[in-house]
Amino acid sequence: MHLLDNFAQRAKNYLAGNDDQRVFPLEESISRLKELDTSLQPDSIDPAEVLDLLDEIGSPATVRNTSGRYYGFVTGGSLPAAMGAKLMSSIWDQNSALTVMSPVSSALEDIAGRWLLDLFGLPPDSGFGFVTGDTMANFTALAAARHQVLKNVGWDAEAQGLFGAPEIRVIVGAEVHVSVLKTLSMLGLGRNRIICVPVDSQGRMIATEIRVSDEPTIICAQSGNVNSGAFDDVAAICQKKGKNTWVHVDAAFGLWAAVSSSKKHLVTGIEQADSWATDAHKWLNVPYDCGIAFARHREAIFAAMSASAAAYIPTDTTRQPLQFVPEMSRQARGIPVWAALKSLGKKGLEELIDRNCAQAQQFAKGLSDAGLTILNEVVLNQVLVHFGDAERTQQVIKKIQEEGICWCGGTVWQGKPAMRISVSGWNTTEEDVQRSLKSMIRQMKSCPPEI
Ligand SMILES: *Cc1c(COP(=O)(O)O)cnc(C)c1O
């Protein structure tokens, strides 16, 4: 058999297991991974044998992200067109650093980037870069912010570094995602010198508490709290801008609310910000890894990410992908994004977002009908449910995970232990929701109540 037919057969078998296989692997499947931990043999072996081994031992130890009943970490499965496009681009093995290395990758990245700006209602001339995920999208956008606010006071951050530079005030909400803090630390802006603004019961930054001067300032807002799904009021935050303020929005999954007529009120005013970070591997359901950074000031992202000062202004009109991202050589991330959007169309994308939000409502209703407390206002696709004290909540979550029908993780929401349900997969069906709800309620009832 041709190796690719062998692969296709295995891929089909794997995906066919999504209905009846466990969502999280059994302990015994995980412990079989040890069989791969041999010393490297001296001789070459047949590639088919390598695939055999990978499928036999690797596949049973996967988390079934591709099933309709995985609700962990806001990660959705892969749309068929996106998965196919990713495989195609792997077959092509394109290097997407420069246009001359892959005209097709450059063209599709450019098209997909402009489609996204249009779908999100962001300024059409914004710059963008396709990176590994939302963390690197935050990094790229905040590097652009650092460049711009220092440039405005006559300091060249890329050339001169930060030693002796004018201070940048960085303002975040108390519910800032840890990835923003990580990027601030990587950018030399320091995760401990941030100014932290209090939040309300849903985790939204209280805009009236923001104090901005005319000094260089970066405000990091958030659209889509990773627990509650809540949105900062970006319009009100932008009103607070001083003479030299850059507003960045971490919108890993929340930005997708912009494509839905019933949800886009949540992102009112986001187009007034200066930069935005989002993930395609979350709600657009493209395979990992794919995030996108956007910045209104195309030159700022370019200046922060270009390899040399000489290349400060693009000399020709061809967009060179490496001038907008931290990496040079990298995979063709625009291709699965293009394919996902092309296959869904605007209506299909809106239906995906709306369907997942409706399913989140079903979870919330089913669980509260069973007497449980929902801790958040379910405005999007996130549901936080409380099973009692920390011990009982952990116990119920563990039993739900062990049963293997669905998978949800635990979290702590404003001091209360909770289970988080994130519905963000194209293939979650009505039946998946009902089966998962039954499992959750069954396991909850099987745990002794709090004393
Ligand atoms: C998921 C998430 C991130 C991190 O995204 P990665 O793609 O894992 O890098 C950052 N911020 C928010 C709000 C998120 O939901």
Side-chain angles (χ1 to χ4, degrees), residues 85-106:
K86 174 109 177 184
L87 293 172
M88 200 71 204
S89 74
S90 299
I91 300 276
W92 291 342
D93 195 21
Q94 299 291 281
N95 186 340
S96 304
L98 292 166
T99 299
V100 72
M101 294 167 129
S102 179
V104 59
S105 168
S106 261

Side-chain angles (χ1 to χ4, degrees), residues 74 133-136 138 177 179 222 224 226 250 252-253 279 281-282:
V74 211
D134 188 63
T135 303
M136 284 313 286
N138 281 326
H177 193 277
S179 80
Q222 177 166 261
V226 76
D250 176 16
F253 58 98
D279 262 326
H281 61 216
K282 283 182 174 168

Side-chain angles (χ1 to χ4, degrees), residues 73-75 132-138 175-180 221-227 250-254 277-282 288-291 382 420:
F73 304 99
V74 211
T75 60
T132 52
D134 188 63
T135 303
M136 284 313 286
N138 281 326
E175 272 284 336
V176 60
H177 193 277
V178 66
S179 80
V180 171
Q222 177 166 261
S223 289
N225 178 287
V226 76
N227 283 315
D250 176 16
F253 58 98
T278 197
D279 262 326
H281 61 216
K282 283 182 174 168
Y288 294 92
D289 51 16
C290 190
Q382 306 286 104
R420 177 176 61 183

Side-chain angles (χ1 to χ4, degrees), residues 97 130-133 136 140 289 305 321-331 333:
F130 284 70
V131 291
T132 52
M136 284 313 286
T140 304
D289 51 16
M305 291 298 142
L322 63 69
Q323 291 169 326
F324 296 89
V325 292
E327 309 98 323
M328 288 199 163
S329 296
R330 60 194 184 115
Q331 58 173 307
R333 299 197 178 96

